[in-house]
Amino acid sequence: MTRGILAVALVATLGARLPAQEYDVVIRNGRVLDGAGNPWILADVAIKDGRFARIGKIDAKGRTEIDARGKYVSPGWIDMMDQSGSVLPRNGLAENKLRQGVTTAIGGEGGTPVPASQIADYFKRLETQGISINFGTYFSETQTRVPVLGMSARAPNAAELDRMRAIMDTAMRAGAMGMTTALIYPPSSYATTDELVEVARAAAKYGGVYASHIRGEGKEVVQSVRELIEISERAGLPGEVFHLKVAHKPGWGVLMDSVRQLVDAARARGVDVAADMYVYTAGGTGLEATIPSWAFEGGDDSLKARLANPATRARLKRELGTGSPGWWNIVEAAGGWDGVVLVNARNPDNAKYENQTIAQIARETGKDPADAAWDLVAQGRGRVMAIYHMMGEADIETALRFPWTSIGSDAGAVLQLGTPDATGLPHPRSFGNATRVIARYVKERHVLTLEDAVRKMTSWPATRMRLADRGVIRQGAWADVTIFDLDQLQDRATYEKPMEFPTGIEWVLVNGVVVIDHGRHTGAKPGKVLRGPGAVN
């Protein structure tokens, strides 16, 4: 009996001397949003070895302790349409992404910045150099087309199509997440629906996703979404509409609901289709998008030769009014040249015209607006960029309410603070898109609940992209975390000042490592490359 009492006492004494379990990070007293759409709970969150270890009342200490009292603790936000692929090898910090709460980015609207055969090395370089966010990317169908057909507008023959599918197969096995198209831009615009179906089947074989900047986002948006659904259904893979919008003023308030009906009907019959969006009424792309697509056949030199030919230019101008087969009229979508603003002339001599509309530049130079725009394109030393004011606020709110929309910025990490992202487009979405979803559409406009806004940026995109163990605060999941002060949360980037950081994002953790601390980047690079389902390890 005495020995038993002594043994119990000894165990108790030893237990008292043993240190309590120590975690890497403990986030205390936060309003924890799990990402699945549930209301917040008041809890501590412990992180160990990059993953969530425990949620609840936690007595043990963390090597890093964060007091989140009065703040919201959310899974890290996921950018479903990112443009950082070419920047991250040169600067992996992605500060403008992280400071708006984004911990994971899915790039590749234009494909990977390297050919299919070099994707594995590209991913290894990112891992070796380090990146501060998690990053995955699609591969573009155009990257299969150009090596085989060049800038030709013709359809591939059977042997050429086999080569294109083989390139996509290589990309998928290297870790691409699926296939993309950008169907308003040549040479992607030259691809027929049947061609896209055939190449998409190579991505479908590995469980990839087909995501598209659809063929038209104006009066033909319903027809263009229907094409995406057809490709998805025939090829047997999920379909994602990039940056869903209605860029056609006469269709505002009407066409977006038509898109909803089309997508809902497809989903009801078992087609896995959804969309992402950014939350601004202006889009941005190259000024060359105002030129009918056929003029690009043969490449840049051929385009410049056509622009220099008065008869050809006269034809192009006529087609601004009549339309042109296979071309989306973005000038019409913007309501005319008054809705098109030059933001990056790519030529010091023309920089004086930046932040003016093409209509204003035309008046100042005494030119026809089309001539003013196309002269700027021809004189650009790189891709001349413009902002197009073409969407309605009510349509943004309508689309946000669709349960299957997620959030994507169509913007990249910046190479250097104070300069635009790799697209060369100074647009506020680069610095404010994710934060704006909550600041404007939860707090100000009451379009979404906080829980659903967070779901659209966390568990839904993670589920959509088959990212196991991301997008939720759950024991065992990767510990990507965004901690924010809802009262202080505000996007500050504007069209006039597009590179202003938001307020209210206090801490951001990526794979359990603090990357943003009291709004400042720590320099840490704990991000992971997210390879697609066909990756061969």
Side-chain angles (χ1 to χ4, degrees):
M1 183 68 70
T2 304
R3 286 181 183 174
I5 293 171
L6 287 173
V8 170
L10 182 59
V11 169
T13 302
L14 288 172
R17 291 175 181 171
L18 289 173
Q21 181 178 3
E22 185 180 72
Y23 295 103
D24 296 330
V25 180
V26 176
I27 303 165
R28 298 198 182 275
N29 307 309
R31 298 176 180 182
V32 178
L33 292 158
D34 65 1
N38 293 311
W40 61 266
I41 61 170
L42 192 64
D44 303 331
V45 177
I47 297 168
K48 182 79 171 176
D49 298 328
R51 295 180 183 265
F52 295 116
R54 188 177 172 195
I55 299 100
K57 180 69 171 70
I58 298 170
D59 294 323
K61 300 296 183 184
R63 285 198 289 273
T64 297
E65 293 262 337
I66 295 174
D67 183 5
R69 190 180 303 275
K71 298 178 175 63
Y72 288 86
V73 180
S74 161
W77 299 343
I78 299 173
D79 188 335
M80 278 286 277
M81 197 205 168
D82 169 77
Q83 300 282 4
S84 300
S86 64
V87 173
L88 292 176
R90 294 180 287 164
N91 182 345
L93 294 178
E95 186 162 353
N96 59 309
K97 294 286 180 176
L98 287 154
R99 285 180 62 175
Q100 58 180 301
V102 170
T103 59
T104 296
I106 309 299
E109 177 199 20
T112 60
V114 297
S117 61
Q118 297 176 26
I119 292 175
D121 290 338
Y122 166 73
F123 284 158
K124 286 177 184 175
R125 179 181 174 187
L126 292 181
E127 290 172 330
T128 301
Q129 294 179 182
I131 51 178
S132 295
I133 57 172
N134 304 309
F135 179 73
T137 181
Y138 294 96
F139 188 76
S140 173
E141 196 267 352
T142 303
Q143 291 180 281
T144 76
R145 191 177 217 279
V146 171
V148 178
L149 297 175
M151 289 294 290
S152 171
R154 70 174 177 84
N157 60 36
E160 290 166 337
L161 199 53
D162 282 342
R163 289 170 59 195
M164 291 165 66
R165 280 192 292 253
I167 294 171
M168 182 58 66
D169 187 276
T170 297
M172 291 301 297
R173 287 186 289 108
M177 292 191 150
M179 179 181 108
T180 52
T181 53
L183 294 174
I184 73 163
Y185 304 112
S188 186
S189 59
Y190 302 149
T192 65
T193 303
D194 286 343
E195 175 187 320
L196 298 177
V197 168
E198 287 303 316
V199 181
R201 283 177 173 145
K205 184 170 66 173
Y206 296 98
V209 176
Y210 170 58
S212 180
H213 180 146
I214 55 177
R215 213 172 284 272
E217 299 174 317
K219 58 189 176 185
E220 64 288 282
V221 64
V222 175
Q223 170 189 338
S224 299
V225 173
R226 185 178 288 115
E227 181 189 31
L228 177 134
I229 292 169
E230 179 185 347
I231 293 164
S232 173
E233 194 164 15
R234 287 173 57 191
L237 77 175
E240 176 82 7
V241 179
F242 274 150
H243 49 56
L244 175 63
K245 63 174 73 75
V246 172
H248 181 61
K249 191 170 183 178
W252 291 356
V254 177
L255 293 180
M256 189 62 80
D257 193 63
S258 299
V259 169
R260 177 195 61 79
Q261 293 178 43
L262 190 64
V263 172
D264 284 351
R267 293 185 63 85
R269 68 174 185 269
V271 185
D272 184 0
V273 60
D276 54 70
M277 58 184 293
Y278 53 77
V279 288
Y280 296 87
T281 56
T285 191
L287 189 57
E288 86 289 343
T290 63
I291 303 170
S293 298
W294 62 265
F296 292 80
E297 185 171 6
D300 288 344
D301 290 343
S302 298
L303 172 65
K304 288 181 178 179
R306 291 181 179 113
L307 290 178
N309 183 311
T312 304
R313 194 177 274 224
R315 174 188 167 186
L316 292 169
K317 287 183 191 175
R318 287 195 301 272
E319 291 178 353
L320 285 171
T322 64
S324 177
W327 173 64
W328 176 48
N329 190 338
I330 197 170
V331 181
E332 179 186 63
W337 294 105
D338 284 308
V340 183
V341 180
L342 177 72
V343 291
N344 192 340
R346 304 280 196 179
N347 183 323
D349 294 338
N350 292 331
K352 60 189 174 185
Y353 300 124
E354 290 176 356
N355 299 314
Q356 295 185 50
T357 69
I358 297 299
Q360 290 171 322
I361 297 168
R363 287 192 292 271
E364 188 173 326
T365 57
K367 297 179 180 179
D368 176 89
D371 287 325
W374 300 343
D375 287 349
L376 289 165
V377 170
Q379 294 160 11
R381 300 167 192 169
R383 193 180 185 201
V384 179
M385 303 303 291
I387 282 178
Y388 300 79
H389 292 272
M390 55 191 178
M391 285 86 79
E393 178 65 37
D395 282 343
I396 293 175
E397 297 185 4
T398 295
L400 277 172
R401 291 187 180 100
F402 301 160
W404 37 261
T405 50
S406 58
I407 306 301
S409 68
D410 195 10
V414 295
L415 182 62
Q416 181 179 345
L417 294 182
T419 61
D421 69 15
T423 66
L425 179 70
H427 191 297
R429 65 195 183 194
S430 296
F431 280 69
N433 188 64
T435 308
R436 184 176 176 83
V437 172
I438 295 175
R440 180 167 176 81
Y441 296 99
V442 174
K443 291 172 58 178
E444 180 184 336
R445 305 283 295 177
H446 309 294
V447 174
L448 298 172
T449 65
L450 177 61
E451 293 84 359
D452 200 38
V454 168
R455 180 191 68 84
K456 284 177 174 288
M457 296 193 288
T458 57
S459 68
W460 171 231
T463 298
R464 183 87 184 114
M465 297 307 298
R466 283 67 173 168
L467 298 176
D469 297 330
R470 292 195 188 273
V472 288
I473 294 181
R474 184 188 66 219
Q475 189 169 327
W478 287 105
D480 299 329
V481 186
T482 296
I483 303 172
F484 60 95
D485 184 326
L486 185 60
D487 292 337
Q488 298 299 316
L489 194 72
Q490 186 61 57
D491 61 299
R492 297 172 60 244
T494 64
Y495 295 112
E496 295 73 29
K497 295 183 176 180
M499 291 179 277
E500 297 291 314
F501 285 112
T503 56
I505 303 293
E506 300 285 345
W507 291 273
V508 177
L509 290 79
V510 177
N511 299 311
V513 176
V514 177
V515 180
I516 300 296
D517 186 343
H518 291 90
R520 295 187 178 278
H521 202 301
T522 65
K525 295 180 179 179
K528 294 183 181 295
V529 170
L530 305 177
R531 290 173 174 81
V536 177
N537 294 326

